[in-house]
Amino acid sequence: MALPNLVLIGTFTYWPLINNIYYSTLDWTLGSASATVVGLQNYVTFFTSEDAAKVLGTTGIFTLITVGGSMVLGLLVALALNSKVRGTTFARSAVFAPYVLSGVGVGLVWLFIFDPGYGVLAWILRGLGQQSPQWINDPQLSLVMVIIVYVWKNLGYCAVVYLAGLQSLPRDVMEAAALDGANGVRRFFHISLPLLSPTTFFLLITTMLSSLQAFDLIRIMTPLGNGTSTLIYEAYLQAFGAYNRAGYSAAISVILFAVLLVITVLQLRFVERKVHYS
């Protein structure tokens, strides 16, 4: 019964992975009928290049801020949505909606907002007598721009998952803490947050893997990767940009796979120890 699924997984997941590892050992120009085996030279070229530190640093900054921002803001939004007030159903739908929207559409809309010439934000700033920052042309601001949009798009996912976790907390424990005189802040940090550790652990893994593989927003908002070249986008630029270095791009993809694997193993090995399953 499991054979069809195993065949599909092997065909579309593991076989491409094995092929990509093989391609990473080639000096191959995309579209060329021939390639030269160079062994580990593509990996040596990447780690000894001037761009390696910049690409790895950009990947680390993007991942750290987007994961932390999405989870912290998502938890705060979940706490607000967990209140018994009118309109929470509509608010939950509105918060979650950006997550299911197309990344291409979201990127185009926000690109119009951030455009320093005719964007909505530039128009508002001009009305206040201020000049709009060069979000698109400045490499540092480009990264900030993409991070803001990515967090906005994905915090709804974290909020919904955290909301489910909050609603599953045992009410008798919370009521007992309230009767003992614990205020809302103490109940949150000493009871709710520890009990939410399985939810936090789940979100930490899923959001980190998602951030490391973020592509659509970066592609739409910064096509040239000006200050936003993460590992996955650098692999795209090397293969399909002006370089057409398919073998070198495959090596970067293997490096990204190794990073994802190591992070996941470390989280399962060490972070899960601090998770309190009820």
Side-chain angles (χ1 to χ4, degrees):
M1 296 296 292
L3 183 60
N5 290 328
L6 293 175
V7 171
L8 288 173
I9 294 173
T11 302
F12 295 104
T13 301
Y14 294 107
W15 180 244
L17 174 62
I18 295 172
N19 271 341
N20 189 75
I21 295 175
Y22 168 68
Y23 293 148
S24 70
T25 64
L26 303 178
D27 180 10
W28 176 35
T29 301
L30 191 66
S32 175
S34 60
T36 304
V37 178
V38 294
L40 300 177
Q41 185 58 46
N42 286 323
Y43 298 94
V44 174
T45 300
F46 174 76
F47 285 110
T48 57
S49 67
E50 296 180 355
D51 294 334
K54 181 167 58 177
V55 170
L56 292 173
T58 301
T59 303
I61 293 172
F62 178 84
T63 303
L64 182 64
I65 298 178
T66 54
V67 171
S70 298
M71 292 182 64
V72 171
L73 293 177
L75 178 56
L76 294 176
V77 172
L79 290 172
L81 295 178
N82 198 37
S83 304
K84 295 182 179 180
V85 295
R86 298 180 63 180
T88 54
T89 302
F90 173 78
R92 292 170 187 174
S93 302
V95 168
F96 188 70
Y99 178 72
V100 298
L101 294 177
S102 166
V104 175
V106 169
L108 290 173
V109 171
W110 278 94
L111 193 60
F112 172 72
I113 295 174
F114 278 109
D115 189 279
Y118 56 84
V120 174
L121 183 58
W123 178 78
I124 295 174
L125 291 175
R126 281 196 297 268
L128 298 175
Q130 302 295 324
Q131 190 70 22
S132 174
Q134 296 295 315
W135 298 100
I136 300 173
N137 301 320
D138 189 325
Q140 294 182 344
L141 292 180
S142 296
L143 182 59
V144 173
M145 174 183 67
V146 174
I147 287 174
I148 291 173
V149 178
Y150 190 87
V151 171
W152 174 84
K153 185 179 187 302
N154 290 273
L155 71 87
Y157 166 73
C158 295
V160 169
V161 175
Y162 266 129
L163 180 61
L166 287 171
Q167 293 182 343
S168 65
L169 296 180
R171 294 185 178 181
D172 54 345
V173 175
M174 306 301 292
E175 292 173 355
L179 291 175
D180 288 339
N183 57 29
V185 175
R186 293 191 64 184
R187 290 200 303 271
F188 173 73
F189 283 104
H190 294 283
I191 300 177
S192 299
L193 203 55
L195 290 175
L196 284 173
S197 57
T199 305
T200 301
F201 179 65
F202 168 77
L203 284 174
L204 182 63
I205 292 180
T206 56
T207 55
M208 186 168 292
L209 295 180
S210 177
S211 292
L212 283 169
Q213 300 176 81
F215 176 80
D216 47 4
L217 286 177
I218 298 176
R219 175 66 180 88
I220 294 299
M221 302 190 73
T222 56
L224 300 179
N226 187 25
T228 60
S229 288
T230 58
L231 275 171
I232 191 170
Y233 198 64
E234 182 68 13
Y236 166 80
L237 291 176
Q238 291 294 333
F240 302 100
Y243 307 103
N244 293 331
R245 302 165 68 185
Y248 186 66
S249 171
I252 297 176
S253 299
V254 174
I255 293 170
L256 174 60
F257 170 75
V259 171
L260 292 170
L261 181 62
V262 169
I263 289 176
T264 304
V265 170
L266 290 177
Q267 287 177 330
L268 293 173
R269 180 69 176 82
F270 298 104
V271 180
E272 192 178 17
R273 292 181 177 180
K274 300 182 181 299
V275 175
H276 303 283
Y277 294 102
S278 57

